[in-house]
Amino acid sequence: MKKSALTEFSNPRSTGIIAINLDADDELIGAKLTDGKQMIFLASHEGQAILFRETDVRAMGRSAGGVNGMDLDKEDYVVSMDAVQRILKSLPRNAKRPRKTSRSSRTRTSRTR
């Protein structure tokens, strides 16, 4: 998953703008425009799900690859994402937060076949 400021896309070129660098076997699941205070929901093919604050993910430049949104088994992959209104005043202190990963392990959060 990746969070970028909208200002990163304010001067488009006729040839387009690179928004994210993906590995060849990765696939974009979705993109959402938010107010910066949403909750992010991710769901996997095998039925795992996670809900976390958008503020827990730092903004990155256009060419960055993103962070690992959830830990998955090798055969599992993310099938859906959504940004929802904040429904909780706070998450438990021991709630998992997205973590930065190496480029090779990011494929686990994208759909690969």
Side-chain angles (χ1 to χ4, degrees):
M1 83 160 292
K2 181 179 170 185
K3 175 179 167 182
S4 295
L6 190 56
T7 56
E8 293 279 336
F9 305 94
S10 62
N11 295 316
R13 299 182 189 107
S14 61
T15 56
I17 293 179
I18 295 173
I20 189 170
N21 282 327
L22 295 174
D23 291 336
D25 58 347
D26 283 350
E27 191 176 314
L28 181 66
I29 300 300
K32 296 286 181 178
L33 184 61
T34 70
D35 63 4
K37 300 174 186 173
Q38 302 285 314
M39 299 292 287
I40 305 300
F41 176 79
L42 300 174
S44 80
H45 179 260
E46 296 294 325
Q48 287 190 36
I50 188 169
L51 180 69
F52 55 89
R53 293 182 208 99
E54 179 183 354
T55 56
D56 289 342
V57 180
R58 68 177 178 84
M60 298 172 211
R62 289 193 333 248
S63 63
V67 296
N68 188 6
M70 63 192 296
D71 291 327
L72 298 169
D73 291 335
K74 188 171 183 156
E75 300 81 29
D76 202 3
Y77 51 91
V78 173
V79 294
S80 181
M81 67 80 58
D82 206 351
V84 297
Q85 290 295 321
R86 192 167 178 170
I87 56 175
L88 303 172
K89 294 209 182 238
S90 65
L91 288 175
R93 291 196 184 273
N94 61 350
K96 282 192 165 187
R97 301 201 188 315
R99 59 183 172 78
K100 189 170 183 173
T101 62
S102 67
R103 187 161 182 77
S104 62
S105 65
R106 267 199 318 273
T107 58
R108 295 183 306 166
T109 61
S110 301
R111 180 182 292 171
T112 56
R113 296 186 187 214

